[in-house]
Amino acid sequence: MPPPFAPLRTPRLLIRGVRRADATAHFAYASDPEVTRWVSWGPFTEPAQSEAWAEEAERGAAAGLLRPLGITLADSPDAPLIGHLGLFWWGKETHVLELGFALGRAHWGQGYATEAAGALAGWALRERAGGLLRLEARCAVANAGSARVLERLGFVREGTLRGRGLKAGRLVDQHVYGLLASDPAARTLAEG
């Protein structure tokens, strides 16, 4: 079981638990076909989908899950979500956590995804959640933006998984990235 999660602050962002009140802001980006182009879960078509997502996130937080977590601008504790991210166990017996993130299009190209993902990865590495030895992430081969984020954080592209993702009923090839807790980039993130 990972340690309790307290909100993380970065110079520009706050990473916190998702609240039911976040559903409207979530729907604003989760319904955008460009935002959901490379993920398996969208685009959402009804606000009720985001309401259910936020309710499930609250239940998950109560159970100690590290996903989803909301990303807001740090200037206000009640600022709306601009995206979300999270960590989930790929296999507790292997001590691997997988990192994922999504960001509203209005906030692309400003370094927010790198800042948020780096903060959460650094937290996991510092806390050594569940004996963490490795962080992993996957992104569609054509998703150059997410690949850049991962590479900036020091993740290493380890290979391509053919047909690993599913989007609109079609298989999508994905790159797999890894970061070992012993890697120099991991130590840098942990020192955050």
Side-chain angles (χ1 to χ4, degrees):
M1 179 68 113
F5 183 81
L8 294 174
R9 286 193 177 275
T10 70
R12 302 179 299 162
L13 303 172
L14 176 67
I15 300 165
R16 60 164 174 78
V18 171
R19 306 171 187 143
R20 290 179 191 207
D22 293 324
T24 300
H26 177 262
F27 185 71
Y29 67 85
S31 61
D32 182 340
E34 283 301 306
V35 171
T36 62
R37 183 176 182 186
W38 303 118
V39 297
S40 60
W41 48 262
F44 283 13
T45 57
E46 300 290 331
Q49 292 172 285
S50 287
E51 291 165 11
W53 175 85
E55 289 171 13
E56 180 62 29
E58 274 193 338
R59 282 192 295 277
L65 297 181
L66 296 172
R67 66 177 172 103
L69 298 168
I71 305 168
T72 70
L73 297 178
D75 55 4
S76 167
D78 296 321
L81 292 188
I82 64 167
H84 67 272
L85 75 170
L87 294 166
F88 65 94
W89 290 109
W90 188 242
K92 288 185 182 181
E93 67 283 351
T94 62
H95 304 283
V96 176
L97 278 171
E98 185 165 341
L99 172 68
F101 49 89
L103 193 64
R105 190 173 4 162
H107 297 93
W108 289 358
Q110 298 174 55
Y112 292 140
T114 303
E115 190 172 327
L120 186 58
W123 173 86
L125 291 159
R126 277 190 306 280
E127 298 294 329
R128 297 295 291 228
L132 176 68
L133 298 175
R134 173 183 167 85
L135 285 168
E136 192 166 291
R138 291 178 283 128
C139 67
V141 168
N143 187 347
S146 288
R148 278 192 303 275
V149 167
L150 295 168
E151 290 166 5
R152 283 184 192 127
L153 295 175
F155 281 73
V156 175
R157 185 185 304 170
E158 298 174 333
T160 303
L161 303 172
R162 296 179 310 127
R164 179 59 175 89
L166 188 64
K167 182 66 179 175
R170 300 176 72 188
L171 293 174
V172 177
D173 295 346
Q174 293 182 332
H175 290 310
V176 63
Y177 287 83
L179 181 68
L180 300 178
S182 59
D183 287 344
R187 287 193 294 276
T188 300
L189 287 172
E191 291 168 3

